[in-house]
Amino acid sequence: MFQLSNNQSLKEKNTFGITATARYYLIVKSESELYEFFKNNRSAIQLKRLFLGAGSNLLFLDDFNGLVIHPLIGGINLVRENKYQVEVEAGAGVSWDNFVAFCVDKGWHGIENLSLIPGNTGAVPVQNIGAYGVEAGSVISEVKGIDIPSLKDYHYNHKACEFNYRTSLFKEKLKEQFVITSVVFRLSKQPNFKIQYEGLEEKINQYGKTNLQNIRKAIIAIRQSKLPDPAVFGNAGSFFKNPVVSELVANSLKNLYPELPVYSIGHGVVKLAAGWLIDKAGWKGKSVGNAAVHEKQALVLINKGGASGKEIFRLSELIAEDVLQKFNIHLEREVQVIGD
Ligand code: EPU
């Protein structure tokens, strides 16, 4: 049976630790519970919606005066396999890092570089999570879920998901419309290590040979050394995206700042390191009220304790304005801002 509560506190349900409440909060453990809820509550289709996994990429500015849907759908199932590959399906409510650990344990390659990213599997395709040279979209073969307005289930194959840097069909066209219930990954039984990311190979060598377990250990160690633990300081990982600009723009900045990190992504466009720009602009470790810029990674904003969503948002505005003024680069938020 679905669980519905009114005026539910969201403080424990967002990794920023922001105080906010949801008018209605719905937990479903299966697709049929979701159907059942809407069958009994037809008018709920009209409500403003928010799909909430582990709340690790959200910033609440206000209370949420609508329906929060939390899909707590578990299960990891092998869909098919051959000598070279497996297709494995994980429920939207499966903790992402538990799923990565499961696959690494089985000897399945493809997501080890995405170890320790907070959140649930259902959120993974939405923002096409990525780290250390791998994007989840590259190994997602299918995304399953329910379109709320029509209450019909759909399966989207890889191509239909429109994966791009930190975005997808689900974050753009189907935003708050299509609730993901499970995700199918195509993983390899053969090694296909991606260890080019600066400093990764050295870290792996500290643990021994290059294999799945040691890559996972190295990634976990690198993340823990740079990224704040939300249990200590509320945060949502990178607050901004790395800006994508033309080579022309990057080259003119490189002339002024030869040490600027630039990553080519082909077709005459490059990604700049937003963390570097924010750091260079002098924001690293700076606080404004209870909101601060993490002292080891300037792309991460933290709640020093008791910060409101608006306080964190204000800090992000000050940073973006300053980066624009100093480098003429627009920073785009990666975190989903809820409220206005
Ligand atoms: N840098 C600085 N100062 C800083 C932060 C970064 O100079 O304060 C420089 C670094 O020295 C490096 C470059 O900027 O040369 C890039 O930094 P880093 O390797 O830490 O990665 P990032 O580009 O800042 C991205 C992802 C992270 C992911 C890491 C590792 C985005 C928005 N962020 O960060 O993802 O973990 O790469 O692959 O693409 C997240 O999305 O929440 C997230 C944490």
Side-chain angles (χ1 to χ4, degrees):
M1 178 73 177
F2 62 81
Q3 290 170 50
L4 181 71
S5 43
N6 289 340
N7 300 321
Q8 164 76 49
S9 165
L10 297 170
K11 191 171 163 65
E12 309 291 324
K13 301 189 185 299
N14 73 98
T15 59
F16 255 125
I18 300 296
T19 301
T21 56
R23 179 75 188 89
Y24 302 105
Y25 191 87
L26 173 69
I27 301 177
V28 290
K29 296 200 199 68
S30 63
E31 294 198 359
S32 52
E33 286 191 7
L34 192 70
Y35 284 124
E36 190 192 342
F37 169 77
F38 282 107
K39 216 168 76 194
N40 296 338
N41 301 277
R42 280 268 158 211
S43 57
I45 289 189
Q46 313 303 333
L47 291 169
K48 191 162 78 165
R49 279 184 290 276
L50 173 67
F51 304 140
L52 184 81
S56 55
N57 199 45
L58 292 174
L59 180 66
F60 289 107
L61 299 187
D62 296 300
D63 290 338
F64 186 73
N65 188 22
L67 173 68
V68 173
I69 301 178
H70 180 58
L72 203 63
I73 301 169
I76 300 178
N77 300 304
L78 185 61
V79 181
R80 60 180 76 86
E81 70 179 315
N82 62 27
K83 226 168 104 185
Y84 310 104
Q85 286 184 330
V86 292
E87 281 207 78
V88 55
E89 180 168 2
V94 172
S95 143
W96 172 251
D97 195 51
N98 288 351
F99 179 63
V100 175
F102 176 91
C103 295
V104 163
D105 217 48
K106 291 277 188 194
W108 299 338
H109 302 73
I111 52 174
E112 57 280 3
N113 290 36
L114 305 177
S115 290
L116 209 68
I117 295 185
N120 290 352
T121 304
V124 164
V126 179
Q127 59 149 350
N128 184 16
I129 62 168
Y132 307 102
V134 172
E135 279 187 355
S138 66
V139 289
I140 291 175
S141 55
E142 204 173 16
V143 173
K144 301 180 181 177
I146 297 170
D147 175 69
I148 301 290
S150 63
L151 288 179
K152 285 198 173 126
D153 65 321
Y154 287 90
H155 296 182
Y156 288 96
N157 66 21
H158 172 83
K159 194 156 180 273
C161 293
E162 297 179 15
F163 291 120
N164 226 313
Y165 171 56
R166 288 299 194 279
T167 194
S168 69
L169 176 75
F170 314 105
K171 192 169 173 180
E172 308 280 337
K173 290 183 205 137
L174 299 186
K175 190 173 155 77
E176 307 309 350
Q177 179 172 331
F178 182 75
V179 62
I180 293 171
T181 53
S182 71
V183 185
V184 184
F185 296 84
R186 184 173 293 140
L187 303 177
S188 169
K189 290 186 178 175
Q190 340 255 235
N192 176 21
F193 302 129
K194 300 223 166 52
I195 58 169
Q196 298 78 0
Y197 201 91
E198 192 191 327
L200 181 53
E201 199 169 353
E202 289 90 300
K203 196 78 204 172
I204 295 166
N205 290 338
Q206 291 177 14
Y207 297 104
K209 57 180 191 204
T210 302
N211 59 27
L212 280 177
Q213 280 75 15
N214 288 339
I215 294 176
R216 176 164 162 81
K217 276 191 203 158
I219 297 279
I220 289 176
I222 295 172
R223 288 188 72 90
Q224 285 175 335
S225 72
K226 283 196 196 173
L227 299 168
D229 178 354
V232 181
F233 288 120
N235 73 89
S238 300
F239 197 90
F240 298 99
K241 289 186 191 179
N242 282 330
V244 175
V245 301
S246 69
E247 271 170 3
L248 217 69
V249 168
N251 289 340
S252 63
L253 265 180
K254 264 264 190 221
N255 284 336
L256 296 171
Y257 308 100
E259 70 284 19
L260 169 77
V262 168
Y263 313 99
S264 174
I265 49 175
H267 307 290
V269 286
V270 300
K271 239 193 261 176
L272 305 178
W276 186 93
L277 296 169
I278 298 168
D279 188 354
K280 188 78 182 170
W283 286 97
K284 200 171 190 164
K286 288 261 167 72
S287 308
V288 175
N290 294 320
V293 181
H294 186 48
E295 53 191 15
K296 294 188 191 140
Q297 183 17 313
L299 199 49
V300 179
L301 303 191
I302 61 171
N303 175 358
K304 289 204 305 174
S308 67
K310 287 189 170 129
E311 230 174 334
I312 290 170
F313 187 78
R314 182 68 196 133
L315 173 60
S316 77
E317 279 185 327
L318 294 173
I319 293 170
E321 282 161 17
D322 196 36
V323 166
L324 180 63
Q325 206 196 9
K326 293 195 165 112
F327 305 104
N328 199 24
I329 297 289
H330 284 274
L331 291 183
E332 196 186 318
R333 289 179 188 86
E334 199 231 294
V335 163
Q336 196 189 344
V337 176
I338 312 294
D340 38 34

